[in-house]
Amino acid sequence: MGDTWAQLPWPGPPHPALLLVFFLLAAGVMHSDAGTSCPVLCTCRNQVVDCSGQRLFSVPPDLPMDTRNLSLAHNRIAAVPPGYLTCYMELRVLDLRNNSLMELPQGLFLHAKRLAHLDLSYNNLSYVPADMFREAHGLVHIDLSHNPWLRRVHPQAFQGLVHLRDLDLSYGGLAFLSLEALEGLPGLVTLQIGGNPWVCGCTMEPLLKWLRNRIQRCTADSQLAECRGPPEVEGAPLFSLTEESFKACHLTLTLDDYLFIAFVGFVVSIASVATNFLLGITANCCHRWSKASEEEEI
């Protein structure tokens, strides 16, 4: 049998066309195994998936598994399905600006442990719930600006984001922001809060005091942040308020004050009784006079 094989002619080197077909097939198998198919209306290159400006009403399914940068900006997306980011462990940048998002599903970022940049600006978000960015501990930049209906940020909305450096909450509908929402961000460098209708009452004092102490380390848009109320500070720059501005919030009554208030209350009550007594006598006299006049006419 060995002699028979030895007598067969050598077929020669493989044809270049066959080699090309082989490599294309191999590349196709690797392409399929890596899950790097590009969604319709999107462009994919170097782990960047760009689906921006395509008038999409929903997020594209089946992204390349190794996606690092995903842009869904300038579309009409109204909702992101739960678990949408579960399979994309390499995701670093997510751009959802200029859409129609009113809320995000709970646990959306549960598996986005490498996500560093998140842009949610120019949407219709109204509330940032507790642990919204849970498990996304690598976040460095969050942009929530230009959400005109954003009126509430939960005190634990940014809990655990120790690497967060830039936070943009400008041009929303915030009248109040809890100090607890920010004091757990040790790495915060830039904070944008201008363009909101801040109510600079007593409840805002802890936040403003914290901001004043960090103003050297934390860049803030101090010129754009203004008070919309109460009337006595309307239009005043937020960072111009001092401890003197909140002096009325710390007024306490002494024993003399309480005694004086009690005395005034006693005097007012006596005066009220006396007034009622005099009014009663006057009314009685008028009644008798009226009755006597009627008898004389008869």
Side-chain angles (χ1 to χ4, degrees), residues 13 36 49 61 71 85 103 114 164 173 179-180 195 219 224-225 247:
T36 55
V49 179
S71 177
L85 303 177
E103 62 180 359
R114 298 187 179 183
L164 189 65
L179 171 59
E180 187 180 349
T219 303
L224 299 175
K247 187 176 180 180

Side-chain angles (χ1 to χ4, degrees), residues 122-181:
Y122 293 94
N123 276 283
N124 297 318
L125 298 175
S126 60
Y127 175 49
V128 182
D131 300 324
M132 178 175 177
F133 310 102
R134 184 181 178 184
E135 299 301 332
H137 299 312
L139 277 169
V140 175
H141 173 87
I142 298 178
D143 191 344
L144 288 162
S145 67
H146 296 89
N147 279 272
W149 308 113
L150 182 58
R151 290 186 170 87
R152 185 185 174 198
V153 175
H154 194 278
Q156 297 179 355
F158 310 113
Q159 186 177 22
L161 303 183
V162 295
H163 300 293
L164 189 65
R165 293 175 55 86
D166 307 315
L167 177 60
D168 195 341
L169 295 170
S170 61
Y171 296 99
L174 292 173
F176 170 76
L177 182 63
S178 171
L179 171 59
E180 187 180 349

Side-chain angles (χ1 to χ4, degrees), residues 39-281:
V40 179
L41 300 179
C42 302
T43 58
C44 304
R45 184 179 181 182
N46 298 329
Q47 296 179 296
V48 176
V49 179
D50 187 358
C51 306
S52 60
Q54 298 299 322
R55 299 182 181 180
L56 300 176
F57 287 92
S58 59
V59 295
D62 302 327
L63 301 173
M65 300 291 287
D66 61 348
T67 299
R68 287 195 177 191
N69 188 327
L70 174 59
S71 177
L72 298 169
H74 311 295
N75 284 295
R76 302 173 183 177
I77 299 171
V80 178
Y84 181 66
L85 303 177
T86 301
C87 299
Y88 311 118
M89 303 294 187
E90 300 297 321
L91 191 64
R92 263 74 165 180
V93 179
L94 178 58
D95 188 354
L96 282 163
R97 61 190 156 131
N98 196 18
N99 277 284
S100 303
L101 295 171
M102 299 182 67
E103 62 180 359
L104 294 177
Q106 187 176 6
L108 177 63
F109 306 103
L110 190 61
H111 300 280
K113 300 183 184 300
R114 298 187 179 183
L115 186 64
H117 297 266
L118 176 62
D119 195 338
L120 294 167
S121 60
Y122 293 94
N123 276 283
N124 297 318
L125 298 175
S126 60
Y127 175 49
V128 182
D131 300 324
M132 178 175 177
F133 310 102
R134 184 181 178 184
E135 299 301 332
H137 299 312
L139 277 169
V140 175
H141 173 87
I142 298 178
D143 191 344
L144 288 162
S145 67
H146 296 89
N147 279 272
W149 308 113
L150 182 58
R151 290 186 170 87
R152 185 185 174 198
V153 175
H154 194 278
Q156 297 179 355
F158 310 113
Q159 186 177 22
L161 303 183
V162 295
H163 300 293
L164 189 65
R165 293 175 55 86
D166 307 315
L167 177 60
D168 195 341
L169 295 170
S170 61
Y171 296 99
L174 292 173
F176 170 76
L177 182 63
S178 171
L179 171 59
E180 187 180 349
L182 298 179
E183 63 181 354
L185 304 174
L188 193 63
V189 174
T190 303
L191 176 65
Q192 306 292 330
I193 58 174
N196 285 286
W198 298 110
V199 176
C200 304
C202 295
T203 56
M204 281 287 286
E205 184 185 12
L207 175 65
L208 291 177
K209 184 177 181 180
W210 182 84
L211 288 174
R212 283 196 301 268
N213 293 336
R214 289 179 57 95
I215 199 66
Q216 300 299 326
R217 296 196 299 119
C218 179
T219 303
D221 51 347
S222 55
Q223 300 301 320
L224 299 175
E226 295 184 351
C227 299
R228 293 285 182 88
E232 55 268 22
V233 293
E234 184 176 357
L238 198 65
F239 293 94
S240 69
L241 301 181
T242 62
E243 293 184 2
E244 187 69 20
S245 306
F246 298 96
K247 187 176 180 180
C249 300
H250 303 285
L251 292 179
T252 56
L253 298 177
T254 64
L255 178 61
D256 292 339
D257 295 327
Y258 284 113
L259 291 175
F260 176 75
I261 293 173
F263 174 74
V264 170
F266 175 75
V267 171
V268 169
S269 61
I270 293 297
S272 176
V273 171
T275 301
N276 290 333
F277 178 74
L278 291 174
L279 288 174
I281 292 178

